[in-house]
Amino acid sequence: MASTHICASNTSYKSSFTNKLTQFNNNKHFPPNLHYPKSLVPPIASLKVDIGTPTTKVDESVKKKKTTKEVIEEEGKYLVGTYARAPIVLEKGKGCKLYDVEGNEYLDLSGGIAVNALGHGDDDWLKAVVEQAGLLTHVSNVYHSIPQVELAKRLVASSFADRVFFSNSGTEANEAAIKFSRKYHKHICTEGKVPATEFIAFSNCFHGRTLGALALTSKVQYRTPFEPVMPGVNFLEYGNAPAAVELIRQGNIAAVFVEPIQGEGGIYSATKEFLQSLRNACNETGTLLVFDEVQCGLGRSGFLWAHEAYGIFPDIMTLAKPLAGGLPIGAVLVTEKVASAINYGDHGSTFAGGPLICSAALAVLNKISNPNFLSDVSKKGLYFKELLKQKLGGNPHVKEIRGVGLIIGIDLDVSASPIVDACRNSGLLVLTAGKGNVVRLVPPLIITEQEIEHAANIIYQTLHVLDGNN
C-alpha cells in the first residue's frame, strides 16, 4: 500500500508540474536557443519542452489591458490576504497625481504612506536611479560601494549621529535599534552586574510589524495574533513624563522608544517638556533614547528631522519611509558611544545599503535638505491647516485639526472610513490613523498651494457622509 501511495502521489506531482510548465511554455517567454544544464533538466523522461520559434507578435494576454475588476480578482486568487486594499488599481503617477487603469486621476495625499516625499517620477530621482542601474545595482555588504559611503557621510553631516547602519525598511531599522540597545548595555556593564534589557514605549505608538518592533507597538490587535512577542516592554501614556522618569530611574531600561510626532497613532506631537524629561532621565541612568522618525522625519515636519524643532537629540534615530523616494530602505543613525559596542557580525543584511538604493536616497536627501525646500514645507503646512480649520471648523464631527508641516490629522468623533471612501470617489486619496477616527494627510512635500486648496475643497464637500455614521 505504501508503494502504491507514493506512486500515485508522484504521478499527481508530475501531472501538475507538466501542466504548469506547458502553460508557461505556451506563453512563448523562453529566449531562442535556450540550453538547460543537465542538472536542471526535470527528472521526467517523457516531458518535452517545445521552445518554439520567436515571434514579433505580442501575446494577446499581454497586449490587452486588464481592468480593475480583473486585477482585483487575480489579487484575491494569488496574494496572501494581508491587506484590505482600496478598490482601485493604480498604474502611473507624476508629481502629486496618480492615475488608475481606467484613466481616472487622483490627487495623492497619502504619498505611499508618507514615502513619496518628492512625489511620483521626480526628474532628479529618476536620473539617479537610471544612471546607477546602468553601473551597479547590488553587491551585498561583503564589499564596499561608493553610494553607500556617500549617503552615510551625508546623513552624519546633517544630523547628531556619528555612524549609520542601513536596513531595508522602518521595522528593520527598529529591530536593529533594539539589538544595538541590548548590545550597548552588555558592552558597558561592569562585571557582576546584570545589563539593562527592558524597553519603554508609549500609547498610540507604532514601530513596525516584525516581532521585536511589534512588541514595541501599542495596538493590541497587532500583537495578539502573534504572541508571545518579545518580553520586557513597558507601555506608558504618551506625554506622561513623571511615569517615564520613575521607570527609567529603576535602572532596568535599555532604551526608550518614542516618536516625536506619532503618525499611525493619530498625528500627536510630543511636547518639549516631555522629550526633555526623557533626555534628562536617560542621561542620569545611561539609558538610550531612541527617536523613531520613520514617518515624521526627513522634512515632513518642516525640519529635516522632527526632533530639531525641540532642540533635543537622541542616541539613536531610525529612518525609512521617504529616504529613497519609494525604494526600500531603512537607516539607524547612532552616536559613537553606541557604535563602539557593535562588532563585526553583530548584525547585517544582504540587500541593505545597495548602490542603487543609496543613489536614489542621495537624490532625495540633497533636495529635501535644502533650507528653502524645508521652509516651503513649513509654509504649506501652516496654510493647509488654516484652510482646513476655516472650512471644517464648524462641523460638529470635527474635534480637532492638528499636526505640523505636512503631517496633518483631522480628528473626528466617528469613523473616518466613509470620508476616506468619499474622497477617493471624488479623486482625492487620504488615509486613516489613530483608532480609525483620524483622517491622515501626508502628501508629497512638493504639493502646491493650488493642490492644497483643491484637496481642502474635496474634504469639505464630502463631510456630509459623516452625518449617517453616528
Side-chain angles (χ1 to χ4, degrees):
M1 288 298 292
S3 175
T4 303
H5 175 75
I6 292 172
C7 182
S9 176
N10 191 40
T11 301
S12 174
Y13 163 76
K14 286 182 181 180
S15 175
S16 175
F17 178 82
T18 302
N19 289 340
K20 287 187 177 181
L21 191 56
T22 302
Q23 182 182 10
F24 182 69
N25 179 47
N26 287 341
N27 286 334
K28 293 180 172 50
H29 287 156
F30 291 106
N33 304 319
L34 178 64
H35 298 286
Y36 289 106
K38 287 184 179 180
S39 62
L40 297 182
V41 176
I44 304 174
S46 62
L47 180 63
K48 294 182 180 180
V49 179
D50 180 12
I51 302 302
T53 305
T55 175
T56 56
K57 290 184 179 180
V58 178
D59 191 298
E60 287 300 315
S61 65
V62 175
K63 183 173 67 174
K64 183 184 176 183
K65 194 173 183 179
K66 291 185 177 179
T67 65
T68 297
K69 183 174 182 292
E70 289 171 332
V71 174
I72 291 175
E73 285 177 351
E74 290 188 351
E75 186 269 350
K77 183 177 179 181
Y78 293 109
L79 292 179
V80 177
T82 54
Y83 303 108
R85 303 177 197 266
I88 57 174
V89 179
L90 298 173
E91 183 179 38
K92 60 185 178 180
K94 186 64 180 175
C96 293
K97 303 290 179 57
L98 284 167
Y99 303 86
D100 66 19
V101 292
E102 315 292 348
N104 298 308
E105 181 183 279
Y106 302 88
L107 178 56
D108 182 15
L109 265 65
S110 67
I113 315 182
V115 167
N116 299 309
L118 298 182
H120 305 278
D122 176 79
D123 291 339
D124 294 324
W125 178 89
L126 186 60
K127 181 174 182 288
V129 169
V130 171
E131 287 183 357
Q132 186 59 52
L135 292 172
L136 186 66
T137 300
H138 173 76
V139 294
S140 87
N141 287 297
V142 172
Y143 308 102
H144 300 278
S145 62
I146 294 171
Q148 184 181 100
V149 175
E150 290 303 313
L151 178 58
K153 283 169 60 179
R154 288 283 285 109
L155 288 169
V156 166
S158 62
S159 73
F160 70 94
D162 300 303
R163 294 179 185 268
V164 181
F165 173 84
F166 289 113
S167 66
N168 303 286
S169 65
T171 193
E172 284 188 34
N174 283 323
E175 291 283 349
I178 291 169
K179 291 179 71 174
F180 292 176
S181 299
R182 286 261 180 97
K183 184 67 191 303
Y184 170 77
H185 283 279
K186 285 191 175 182
H187 177 71
I188 64 168
C189 194
T190 56
E191 205 170 314
K193 287 192 175 182
V194 178
T197 58
E198 295 187 10
F199 299 93
I200 290 176
F202 296 94
S203 58
N204 302 312
C205 71
F206 183 86
H207 297 292
R209 293 183 184 267
T210 49
L211 278 180
L214 183 63
L216 292 170
T217 294
S218 67
K219 285 190 176 181
V220 175
Q221 64 267 36
Y222 288 166
R223 299 197 314 269
T224 300
F226 309 103
E227 290 178 339
V229 294
M230 179 184 73
V233 178
N234 304 273
F235 288 105
L236 301 175
E237 183 185 357
Y238 188 68
N240 189 337
V245 170
E246 181 181 355
L247 190 54
I248 292 168
R249 285 176 174 166
Q250 291 179 13
N252 301 318
I253 304 301
V256 178
F257 278 73
V258 61
E259 299 158 277
I261 305 170
Q262 294 183 327
E264 170 80 13
I267 320 299
Y268 292 103
S269 299
T271 65
K272 181 171 183 177
E273 292 74 22
F274 174 54
L275 295 183
Q276 188 65 65
S277 294
L278 296 180
R279 179 69 276 173
N280 292 344
C282 287
N283 288 344
E284 291 173 19
T285 60
T287 300
L288 297 178
L289 182 59
V290 182
F291 284 167
D292 179 339
E293 294 212 13
V294 168
Q295 185 160 165
C296 64
L298 199 60
R300 175 70 47 192
S301 67
F303 291 84
L304 188 58
W305 315 120
H307 66 264
E308 289 181 328
Y310 303 93
I312 299 164
F313 301 93
D315 303 295
I316 300 175
M317 176 171 68
T318 55
L319 306 173
K321 287 182 178 292
L323 184 53
L327 296 180
I329 192 172
V332 187
L333 278 61
V334 301
T335 59
E336 189 62 45
K337 76 173 185 180
V338 176
S340 66
I342 309 304
N343 298 321
Y344 294 139
D346 279 347
H347 200 38
S349 171
T350 297
F351 290 103
L356 180 66
I357 301 295
C358 289
S359 292
L362 279 165
V364 173
L365 182 58
N366 286 338
K367 274 200 168 182
I368 294 180
S369 60
N370 185 307
N372 292 330
F373 186 98
L374 293 169
S375 176
D376 283 345
V377 171
S378 292
K379 291 174 184 175
K380 288 184 288 192
L382 288 170
Y383 179 59
F384 202 175
K385 276 179 65 179
E386 187 58 36
L387 203 56
L388 290 171
K389 286 177 180 178
Q390 289 176 10
K391 290 181 175 292
L392 313 183
N395 189 284
H397 293 299
V398 178
K399 295 165 60 180
E400 185 182 11
I401 296 168
R402 57 178 176 260
V404 60
L406 288 171
I407 178 169
I408 297 171
I410 305 170
D411 196 347
L412 306 174
D413 67 350
V414 292
S415 170
S417 294
I419 195 169
V420 170
D421 293 342
C423 283
R424 184 179 64 249
N425 293 335
S426 300
L428 179 68
L429 301 182
V430 298
L431 301 167
T432 61
K435 297 177 181 177
N437 62 313
V438 176
V439 178
R440 178 173 24 164
L441 309 175
V442 281
L445 304 182
I446 61 165
I447 191 170
T448 65
E449 286 192 0
Q450 292 74 21
E451 288 170 330
I452 286 171
E453 291 163 1
H454 181 54
N457 284 333
I458 291 178
I459 295 170
Y460 171 71
Q461 291 163 7
T462 55
L463 270 180
H464 66 89
V465 301
L466 299 176
D467 294 333
N469 195 40
N470 292 311

